[in-house]
Amino acid sequence: MMYDHKTSFESAGRQTGIENTPFPTAFPELPGQNEELIQDFVAYSRQQPFQVERAPEVASRQPDPPPFTRPTIPPVMHSRRRPLWLPLVISLIALVVVFGGVLGYTATLSNKGGSASPNTPQLTAQQQAHKVAEQFMTAFKAKDYQKLWSLLHPEIQKQWKNQAAYVAFQQARYNAYTFHSYTFGKEEQRKTWINPETMQSYSNVLHIPVSLKLDLTEPPADTTLLADDVLHPSRIFQNLPLIIQEMTLKGKEKQWRVLAGGPADPEAPVLPPLQPPAQQLAVPILMYHHILELPASASALDLSLAVSPQQFEEQLKYLKQRGYHAITFNQLFNALYFGASLPEHPVILTFDDGYTDAYTNAYTLLKKYGYTGMFYIITEKIGWEGQATWNQLREMLANGMQIGSHSVHHVDMGVTYLSSPDQAFRELQESRATLEKNLKVPIQQFCYPAGEPFRSGALSTQQAVVAQLNKAGYVGSTIAPGETGIIQDSQQPQKLFRIRVDGRYGLDVFTASIP
């Protein structure tokens, strides 16, 4: 049903209880509203009829909304005008700061001789040393021997013909092995370190023990004749000395360089190759016992075994004047096995039995002439009257000397083996273990007491004892005359020849015995 909209609106008002409410003909003015649009809307609504449905009951009229309130805008505050000189002062200060920073950075580059970041913190000397140690061992683990060469001390580099010779030696030495990991031990500042290969002393060095885990890459099918150290080399590659020293290179700042390379050093434990090359070298190995003055009434045997300190010094002086270089057994085997070069006129000086005069006389004179020596020790007798003590042996070792085994009880190894192979093996194994435990160095050299079984033993006995030496981890062994000579053979490392120095004869006999 169609209604006039005014009548309908008023009727709806009565029905909802809102009576006497006239239909609005005008609307209150709203802020910002266009009045013409409102009037048009009112006129239009009066002309158009519409349907009105019944509105629900309303309990009461809803309250009118609150009147619109225009927000109050705070007045704009005008600041005082800044002085004209203030920006100029700020600009000058900024310019001074920037210019000073540039000068300081330029001076830093000039002092360091290279580029640097002004934000890079400076490393302490200890941190720089550790950085070099890490670089060296990381390169070694990766078998980057060129990098190793670049980190060596210049004095160590001089011991090699050139970089190529050093790299070739390292490659031949570790070609059959895989490196797994390395660890550093507790570092120690030391006043001096002596290079046993040159007997040169270096001051203010950092000693860092290094342990290396390594294995044969391809172990052979038959390992019965291999030394345990070849099969399980990690045991002897423990706490090897990495010695580094801070030095000034030409035209550069101070840098740390490596003197002794831990497992990469030529004096690290020797790992004999699975198939040794055929190599012979002329290296005299001199055999001494006592360096001691004996009365003329002493027995002929005692007189033959004792070289007086005066005689010994004459012999050392002769060797020095003729350009002989005392070498270590490591140097000998590095040359026999891996092609390392030897100095001109190499010689090895050995001293049997570990007497007190080995420390008081032999060691003292060796140091005076800059020579190293090998001292073969009877472990049961260490500290006995007339025998060297552990502290004396440690001092000798720290000052460039070498230590080897002369068995536990100084027994005839051939006779002992024939009586009890187990007892013979214990003589070898226990003497080595005792020396390593107390001196904290690998022991790889042995000397047959009285030269046996190579003076009077059968060939089969000699072969059996050699097999035990290999199994016990010895790399080389010296005999006593009987057989003598100066030619050392890579195929017979457990039968190294020596020349006996007899105290009953003068310098002329001594000089005639060596080339």
Side-chain angles (χ1 to χ4, degrees), residues 121-135:
Q122 296 297 312
L123 297 178
T124 65
Q126 186 177 26
Q127 290 172 330
Q128 291 173 356
H130 273 283
K131 182 179 179 181
V132 171
E134 285 283 2
Q135 290 174 342

PDB file of all heavy atoms in Angstrom, residues 121-135:
ATOM      1  N   PRO A 121      91.439  -4.407  15.068  1.00  0.00           N
ATOM      2  CA  PRO A 121      92.200  -4.365  16.324  1.00  0.00           C
ATOM      3  C   PRO A 121      93.591  -4.945  16.132  1.00  0.00           C
ATOM      4  O   PRO A 121      93.797  -5.882  15.362  1.00  0.00           O
ATOM      5  CB  PRO A 121      91.355  -5.242  17.266  1.00  0.00           C
ATOM      6  CG  PRO A 121      90.583  -6.146  16.358  1.00  0.00           C
ATOM      7  CD  PRO A 121      90.311  -5.343  15.118  1.00  0.00           C
ATOM      8  N   GLN A 122      94.571  -4.378  16.818  1.00  0.00           N
ATOM      9  CA  GLN A 122      95.940  -4.850  16.741  1.00  0.00           C
ATOM     10  C   GLN A 122      96.106  -6.121  17.569  1.00  0.00           C
ATOM     11  O   GLN A 122      95.647  -6.197  18.706  1.00  0.00           O
ATOM     12  CB  GLN A 122      96.895  -3.762  17.248  1.00  0.00           C
ATOM     13  CG  GLN A 122      96.891  -2.499  16.399  1.00  0.00           C
ATOM     14  CD  GLN A 122      97.379  -2.771  14.986  1.00  0.00           C
ATOM     15  OE1 GLN A 122      98.397  -3.409  14.791  1.00  0.00           O
ATOM     16  NE2 GLN A 122      96.634  -2.299  14.005  1.00  0.00           N
ATOM     17  N   LEU A 123      96.783  -7.139  16.991  1.00  0.00           N
ATOM     18  CA  LEU A 123      97.017  -8.387  17.701  1.00  0.00           C
ATOM     19  C   LEU A 123      98.201  -8.228  18.645  1.00  0.00           C
ATOM     20  O   LEU A 123      99.178  -7.548  18.332  1.00  0.00           O
ATOM     21  CB  LEU A 123      97.306  -9.519  16.713  1.00  0.00           C
ATOM     22  CG  LEU A 123      96.198  -9.887  15.730  1.00  0.00           C
ATOM     23  CD1 LEU A 123      96.672 -11.000  14.802  1.00  0.00           C
ATOM     24  CD2 LEU A 123      94.940 -10.322  16.462  1.00  0.00           C
ATOM     25  N   THR A 124      98.124  -8.874  19.796  1.00  0.00           N
ATOM     26  CA  THR A 124      99.261  -8.906  20.700  1.00  0.00           C
ATOM     27  C   THR A 124     100.337  -9.817  20.114  1.00  0.00           C
ATOM     28  O   THR A 124     100.083 -10.587  19.178  1.00  0.00           O
ATOM     29  CB  THR A 124      98.843  -9.423  22.080  1.00  0.00           C
ATOM     30  OG1 THR A 124      98.431 -10.805  21.949  1.00  0.00           O
ATOM     31  CG2 THR A 124      97.690  -8.601  22.649  1.00  0.00           C
ATOM     32  N   ALA A 125     101.539  -9.735  20.671  1.00  0.00           N
ATOM     33  CA  ALA A 125     102.631 -10.585  20.185  1.00  0.00           C
ATOM     34  C   ALA A 125     102.273 -12.059  20.327  1.00  0.00           C
ATOM     35  O   ALA A 125     102.557 -12.874  19.439  1.00  0.00           O
ATOM     36  CB  ALA A 125     103.910 -10.263  20.952  1.00  0.00           C
ATOM     37  N   GLN A 126     101.635 -12.411  21.434  1.00  0.00           N
ATOM     38  CA  GLN A 126     101.247 -13.804  21.647  1.00  0.00           C
ATOM     39  C   GLN A 126     100.207 -14.245  20.624  1.00  0.00           C
ATOM     40  O   GLN A 126     100.277 -15.357  20.093  1.00  0.00           O
ATOM     41  CB  GLN A 126     100.703 -13.978  23.062  1.00  0.00           C
ATOM     42  CG  GLN A 126     100.414 -15.423  23.440  1.00  0.00           C
ATOM     43  CD  GLN A 126      99.933 -15.554  24.872  1.00  0.00           C
ATOM     44  OE1 GLN A 126      99.372 -14.624  25.434  1.00  0.00           O
ATOM     45  NE2 GLN A 126     100.151 -16.698  25.469  1.00  0.00           N
ATOM     46  N   GLN A 127      99.251 -13.379  20.318  1.00  0.00           N
ATOM     47  CA  GLN A 127      98.238 -13.719  19.321  1.00  0.00           C
ATOM     48  C   GLN A 127      98.857 -13.854  17.933  1.00  0.00           C
ATOM     49  O   GLN A 127      98.471 -14.727  17.150  1.00  0.00           O
ATOM     50  CB  GLN A 127      97.144 -12.648  19.315  1.00  0.00           C
ATOM     51  CG  GLN A 127      96.260 -12.657  20.556  1.00  0.00           C
ATOM     52  CD  GLN A 127      95.322 -11.464  20.618  1.00  0.00           C
ATOM     53  OE1 GLN A 127      95.634 -10.384  20.106  1.00  0.00           O
ATOM     54  NE2 GLN A 127      94.173 -11.635  21.244  1.00  0.00           N
ATOM     55  N   GLN A 128      99.824 -13.000  17.616  1.00  0.00           N
ATOM     56  CA  GLN A 128     100.509 -13.105  16.334  1.00  0.00           C
ATOM     57  C   GLN A 128     101.265 -14.429  16.233  1.00  0.00           C
ATOM     58  O   GLN A 128     101.276 -15.076  15.184  1.00  0.00           O
ATOM     59  CB  GLN A 128     101.468 -11.928  16.162  1.00  0.00           C
ATOM     60  CG  GLN A 128     100.780 -10.587  15.984  1.00  0.00           C
ATOM     61  CD  GLN A 128     101.757  -9.422  15.987  1.00  0.00           C
ATOM     62  OE1 GLN A 128     102.953  -9.610  16.189  1.00  0.00           O
ATOM     63  NE2 GLN A 128     101.256  -8.224  15.769  1.00  0.00           N
ATOM     64  N   ALA A 129     101.907 -14.829  17.343  1.00  0.00           N
ATOM     65  CA  ALA A 129     102.633 -16.100  17.349  1.00  0.00           C
ATOM     66  C   ALA A 129     101.684 -17.268  17.120  1.00  0.00           C
ATOM     67  O   ALA A 129     101.975 -18.186  16.339  1.00  0.00           O
ATOM     68  CB  ALA A 129     103.375 -16.257  18.677  1.00  0.00           C
ATOM     69  N   HIS A 130     100.538 -17.249  17.791  1.00  0.00           N
ATOM     70  CA  HIS A 130      99.557 -18.325  17.615  1.00  0.00           C
ATOM     71  C   HIS A 130      99.011 -18.340  16.190  1.00  0.00           C
ATOM     72  O   HIS A 130      98.746 -19.412  15.634  1.00  0.00           O
ATOM     73  CB  HIS A 130      98.416 -18.159  18.617  1.00  0.00           C
ATOM     74  CG  HIS A 130      98.683 -18.804  19.937  1.00  0.00           C
ATOM     75  ND1 HIS A 130      98.589 -20.162  20.144  1.00  0.00           N
ATOM     76  CD2 HIS A 130      99.078 -18.282  21.123  1.00  0.00           C
ATOM     77  CE1 HIS A 130      98.886 -20.448  21.396  1.00  0.00           C
ATOM     78  NE2 HIS A 130      99.192 -19.329  22.014  1.00  0.00           N
ATOM     79  N   LYS A 131      98.852 -17.172  15.614  1.00  0.00           N
ATOM     80  CA  LYS A 131      98.359 -17.108  14.239  1.00  0.00           C
ATOM     81  C   LYS A 131      99.335 -17.787  13.284  1.00  0.00           C
ATOM     82  O   LYS A 131      98.934 -18.556  12.401  1.00  0.00           O
ATOM     83  CB  LYS A 131      98.146 -15.649  13.836  1.00  0.00           C
ATOM     84  CG  LYS A 131      97.593 -15.471  12.429  1.00  0.00           C
ATOM     85  CD  LYS A 131      97.372 -14.004  12.105  1.00  0.00           C
ATOM     86  CE  LYS A 131      96.840 -13.831  10.689  1.00  0.00           C
ATOM     87  NZ  LYS A 131      96.636 -12.389  10.354  1.00  0.00           N
ATOM     88  N   VAL A 132     100.633 -17.533  13.472  1.00  0.00           N
ATOM     89  CA  VAL A 132     101.649 -18.168  12.628  1.00  0.00           C
ATOM     90  C   VAL A 132     101.668 -19.676  12.866  1.00  0.00           C
ATOM     91  O   VAL A 132     101.781 -20.472  11.921  1.00  0.00           O
ATOM     92  CB  VAL A 132     103.029 -17.544  12.894  1.00  0.00           C
ATOM     93  CG1 VAL A 132     104.128 -18.338  12.198  1.00  0.00           C
ATOM     94  CG2 VAL A 132     103.053 -16.100  12.414  1.00  0.00           C
ATOM     95  N   ALA A 133     101.555 -20.094  14.137  1.00  0.00           N
ATOM     96  CA  ALA A 133     101.532 -21.529  14.442  1.00  0.00           C
ATOM     97  C   ALA A 133     100.344 -22.210  13.764  1.00  0.00           C
ATOM     98  O   ALA A 133     100.475 -23.308  13.201  1.00  0.00           O
ATOM     99  CB  ALA A 133     101.479 -21.739  15.954  1.00  0.00           C
ATOM    100  N   GLU A 134      99.184 -21.567  13.806  1.00  0.00           N
ATOM    101  CA  GLU A 134      97.996 -22.123  13.147  1.00  0.00           C
ATOM    102  C   GLU A 134      98.192 -22.186  11.634  1.00  0.00           C
ATOM    103  O   GLU A 134      97.838 -23.182  10.989  1.00  0.00           O
ATOM    104  CB  GLU A 134      96.766 -21.273  13.479  1.00  0.00           C
ATOM    105  CG  GLU A 134      96.223 -21.459  14.888  1.00  0.00           C
ATOM    106  CD  GLU A 134      95.436 -22.753  15.044  1.00  0.00           C
ATOM    107  OE1 GLU A 134      95.338 -23.524  14.067  1.00  0.00           O
ATOM    108  OE2 GLU A 134      94.920 -22.990  16.147  1.00  0.00           O
ATOM    109  N   GLN A 135      98.743 -21.129  11.060  1.00  0.00           N
ATOM    110  CA  GLN A 135      98.983 -21.127   9.616  1.00  0.00           C
ATOM    111  C   GLN A 135      99.937 -22.252   9.225  1.00  0.00           C
ATOM    112  O   GLN A 135      99.726 -22.942   8.217  1.00  0.00           O
ATOM    113  CB  GLN A 135      99.562 -19.775   9.191  1.00  0.00           C
ATOM    114  CG  GLN A 135      98.581 -18.617   9.258  1.00  0.00           C
ATOM    115  CD  GLN A 135      99.245 -17.279   8.969  1.00  0.00           C
ATOM    116  OE1 GLN A 135     100.464 -17.147   9.040  1.00  0.00           O
ATOM    117  NE2 GLN A 135      98.443 -16.284   8.640  1.00  0.00           N
TER     118      GLN A 135
END
